[in-house]
Amino acid sequence: MDIVEQEEDDLFRCALCGISEGDSSNLTAQSLQTNATVGCGHQFCNACIDRELSRKREFPCPICGTAVKKVSLSTRTLDDYLCEKDTSWRRRVLKIFNKTEKDFSSLLEYNNYLEEVEDLIYCIVNEEPSAEECKAKIKAYEEQHRAEIVIRQSQRADEERAIQDQIAKEQRDAERSRRNAEEDAKAIALAKARFKQESAEVALGEREEVSAELRAAQMQGYRNELKRQREGKATATIFVSPRVREPDGGMKKEKKLDRQFYLQRQAAGGGIPAGSLTSQERNWNETVSTLFGRLQ
């Protein structure tokens, strides 16, 4: 076993007695607690903890020399503790250092700003020697730029609210589309069942023909017919006859003929109806006279 594997194995054993939770020698099922202090993270069994802390308030870790206190012991690992601490401090720092890329003239300045913020968080979470100085720097920055911070927080809240509203709208639209699809499926199944039933009745002679509504639905597709009914639009084509072009002077009403003009017109043959016997007799006489005139 090399040095790295030995160190990893030590993290899951009691730093005082060397027992682990899975050892067969652990007859009393002793559980391990972690010294959740940055720089240590070693574990100790309950028996060793009770023995050491019964005589004094703290004792040194035999591996790294870090002080072990009752308040620093936890059933969580050091990584869990550091992750929770990082999340907490990151939320607090980013709430104050809340500038965005549009607040800088170049991308390089914005990246330098983000790097500075990350350095502050790392320094505080890992309890670097300058951790207290970083905390003081954050507090001073908050006091100097309080108004700007509040304005940017308000803008950020408005943007998040707009995003939430958009998400809610998309969810409502998706739910509406889902309900419409379910209703369409039910309506299509019902229409198909009715068409099948009426077709059977026609075959048995119980009715003359399938209803026009179902025939149109089958020909145009059930889904298209439902869409047409929902939108309230007629699918039948409406033919519009061409409009007669009016003359330049407009449409003029024909003058009413007086009796004398009508008699003159009748004497000239204009008043005889085209389909009457008189008209046919006149045409026959004219035809015969024309033929005999040619023979002469």
Side-chain angles (χ1 to χ4, degrees):
M1 182 180 296
D2 56 16
I3 299 177
V4 177
E5 293 179 352
Q6 180 65 37
E7 291 179 353
E8 292 179 354
D9 185 67
D10 291 341
L11 291 176
F12 299 98
R13 292 182 176 273
C14 177
L16 293 173
C17 65
I19 195 174
S20 67
E21 293 182 353
D23 284 348
S24 58
S25 59
N26 188 4
L27 302 178
T28 57
Q30 293 288 338
S31 60
L32 301 178
Q33 297 190 47
T34 304
N35 183 26
T37 303
V38 178
C40 182
H42 296 102
Q43 295 184 331
F44 304 89
C45 65
N46 292 332
C48 293
I49 292 172
D50 294 339
R51 184 182 67 253
E52 294 295 330
L53 294 181
S54 63
R55 297 177 294 181
K56 46 191 173 182
R57 298 179 57 183
E58 63 181 47
F59 62 92
C61 175
I63 298 177
C64 61
T66 304
V68 180
K69 303 178 182 179
K70 186 69 175 179
V71 294
S72 64
L73 293 171
S74 174
T75 55
R76 298 177 300 172
T77 63
L78 181 61
D79 291 338
D80 295 337
Y81 170 76
L82 291 178
C83 182
E84 181 180 352
K85 188 176 181 181
D86 180 89
T87 302
S88 176
W89 271 102
R90 184 175 299 277
R91 186 182 298 111
R92 294 168 59 181
V93 173
L94 294 180
K95 189 177 181 180
I96 298 173
F97 291 85
N98 56 0
K99 289 184 177 181
T100 59
E101 184 177 353
K102 62 182 180 180
D103 296 324
F104 298 88
S105 58
S106 65
L107 181 60
L108 179 60
E109 294 180 0
Y110 178 59
N111 290 334
N112 292 336
Y113 171 80
L114 294 179
E115 186 175 356
E116 180 182 359
V117 173
E118 289 296 328
D119 291 341
L120 291 174
I121 297 174
Y122 179 84
C123 183
I124 295 174
V125 171
N126 293 277
E127 299 180 4
E128 296 289 326
S130 58
E132 295 300 326
E133 181 181 350
C134 292
K135 293 179 182 179
K137 183 177 180 180
I138 294 173
K139 185 176 181 180
Y141 180 86
E142 181 181 10
E143 293 176 355
Q144 294 175 3
H145 304 83
R146 188 176 301 275
E148 299 176 7
I149 293 173
V150 173
I151 292 174
R152 285 193 290 268
Q153 288 177 352
S154 178
Q155 294 175 350
R156 180 67 178 273
D158 293 340
E159 293 175 356
E160 292 179 352
R161 192 179 301 109
I163 294 174
Q164 293 297 328
D165 293 342
Q166 181 65 24
I167 293 175
K169 179 180 179 300
E170 293 178 356
Q171 291 177 348
R172 290 194 300 268
D173 293 342
E175 180 64 20
R176 188 182 303 108
S177 300
R178 185 188 64 80
R179 290 198 303 268
N180 291 338
E182 292 179 354
E183 293 175 359
D184 290 350
K186 293 179 181 178
I188 290 173
L190 180 60
K192 289 182 177 180
R194 287 178 54 199
F195 182 85
K196 184 176 181 181
Q197 180 181 359
E198 292 188 8
S199 299
E201 292 175 357
V202 172
L204 295 175
E206 297 179 359
R207 62 185 304 156
E208 295 182 357
E209 60 181 5
V210 180
S211 59
E213 178 185 358
L214 293 178
R215 291 201 309 272
Q218 186 193 33
M219 293 177 62
Q220 299 177 10
Y222 293 98
R223 193 172 300 278
N224 294 335
E225 180 66 14
L226 289 173
K227 183 178 180 181
R228 182 193 67 80
Q229 294 178 3
R230 185 182 296 112
E231 295 177 354
K233 297 180 180 179
T235 57
T237 305
I238 301 176
F239 294 97
V240 180
S241 59
R243 183 180 179 183
V244 178
R245 186 174 63 87
E246 296 182 1
D248 297 337
M251 300 297 290
K252 296 181 179 180
K253 186 176 181 180
E254 186 177 359
K255 295 181 180 180
K256 186 176 181 179
L257 301 177
D258 56 5
R259 182 174 180 78
Q260 184 179 1
F261 183 79
Y262 178 77
L263 293 176
Q264 294 176 356
R265 184 177 179 183
Q266 186 178 13
I272 301 175
S276 63
L277 294 175
T278 306
S279 175
Q280 295 178 5
E281 183 179 358
R282 185 195 64 184
N283 294 338
W284 170 255
N285 292 332
E286 290 180 354
T287 303
V288 172
S289 62
T290 303
L291 291 173
F292 282 103
R294 290 179 180 180
L295 291 175
Q296 293 176 356

